[in-house]
Amino acid sequence: GKKGPEISLGMRSRTGLKGQPASQEDKCYLCKNQYEELEDRTGDIEEKLGEIFAQTQQLGMEIERKRSEIRELEEAIAKGDSEKAVLENDIRHNGLSIARLEGELANAGLDAETLKLQIGDKERELSEGGASLAALKSRLESAEQRLEDQRGQTAKVTDELLPFTAKKTALSDAGN
């Protein structure tokens, strides 16, 4: 009676042992496949990180170029502002000269002949001053137009820079 259960236990053990190596082989094969898949995915991820890093560097260089353009435009605007201030000062000075000449004409009245001569002289001075004033006003208008154009360029470059900055931030965040 004792041998019956022992034999059936032995048979079950051998059957179980026969199934085990196949199961372990399968597990090894699955592990190896998973390892290879992970290696492939790791390679893909490393390649993608390399691309993101290259894009980040490219965007960084583009941002620096745009910042350089902005600095140049800001310098040009500052120069234009300076030229405008000089021209406005010249216009004020000429306006004061014209007012002084008009005052002298009003105060000068001795005799008619002297007044006529003085009036002729003052009219020539006023005419020259008026022509000079007109030329200065024209230069001022031209400088103001250049200044406005430069401000427009600065705004455009700043607007162009915004998407690059956002993309760089997104890429940096993705890399982290």
Side-chain angles (χ1 to χ4, degrees), residues 52 59 82 101 172:
I52 289 171
L59 289 172
S82 176
L101 292 174
S172 293

Side-chain angles (χ1 to χ4, degrees), residues 93-106:
H93 176 72
N94 286 338
L96 291 173
S97 294
I98 290 170
R100 180 184 50 82
L101 292 174
E102 288 172 343
E104 286 178 18
L105 279 175

Side-chain angles (χ1 to χ4, degrees), residues 136-155:
L136 288 173
K137 283 183 179 180
S138 174
R139 284 178 52 201
L140 176 62
E141 289 171 4
S142 175
E144 286 175 337
Q145 182 59 48
R146 285 194 316 268
L147 180 62
E148 192 59 39
D149 291 347
Q150 290 169 348
R151 284 188 176 128
Q153 288 176 349
T154 299

Side-chain angles (χ1 to χ4, degrees), residues 21-160:
S23 174
Q24 287 204 355
E25 240 179 71
D26 288 345
K27 287 180 183 177
C28 285
Y29 180 74
L30 285 174
C31 285
K32 182 180 176 192
N33 282 343
Q34 286 176 347
Y35 179 77
E36 288 171 357
E37 283 179 32
L38 288 174
E39 274 187 328
D40 289 345
R41 287 175 53 198
T42 301
D44 291 345
I45 290 170
E46 286 175 352
E47 184 178 323
K48 186 69 176 170
L49 283 175
E51 290 172 9
I52 289 171
F53 181 74
Q55 287 176 345
T56 300
Q57 284 183 320
Q58 185 66 30
L59 289 172
M61 291 187 310
E62 183 66 25
I63 287 170
E64 281 309 309
R65 275 195 297 277
K66 295 295 182 182
R67 284 183 179 154
S68 177
E69 288 179 32
I70 288 171
R71 279 191 298 275
E72 289 172 8
L73 290 171
E74 286 174 342
E75 288 171 6
I77 288 171
K79 183 179 177 187
D81 285 342
S82 176
E83 288 176 7
K84 178 182 172 187
V86 167
L87 293 174
E88 287 173 341
N89 187 46
D90 287 348
I91 290 171
R92 265 193 308 277
H93 176 72
N94 286 338
L96 291 173
S97 294
I98 290 170
R100 180 184 50 82
L101 292 174
E102 288 172 343
E104 286 178 18
L105 279 175
N107 291 332
L110 294 175
D111 66 355
E113 200 56 38
T114 305
L115 281 177
K116 285 181 184 177
L117 290 173
Q118 288 179 351
I119 288 173
D121 291 343
K122 299 303 177 184
E123 285 177 343
R124 278 190 299 282
E125 288 179 25
L126 282 173
S127 174
E128 292 170 4
S132 175
L133 180 61
L136 288 173
K137 283 183 179 180
S138 174
R139 284 178 52 201
L140 176 62
E141 289 171 4
S142 175
E144 286 175 337
Q145 182 59 48
R146 285 194 316 268
L147 180 62
E148 192 59 39
D149 291 347
Q150 290 169 348
R151 284 188 176 128
Q153 288 176 349
T154 299
K156 180 182 173 195
V157 169
T158 301
D159 289 346
E160 289 174 4

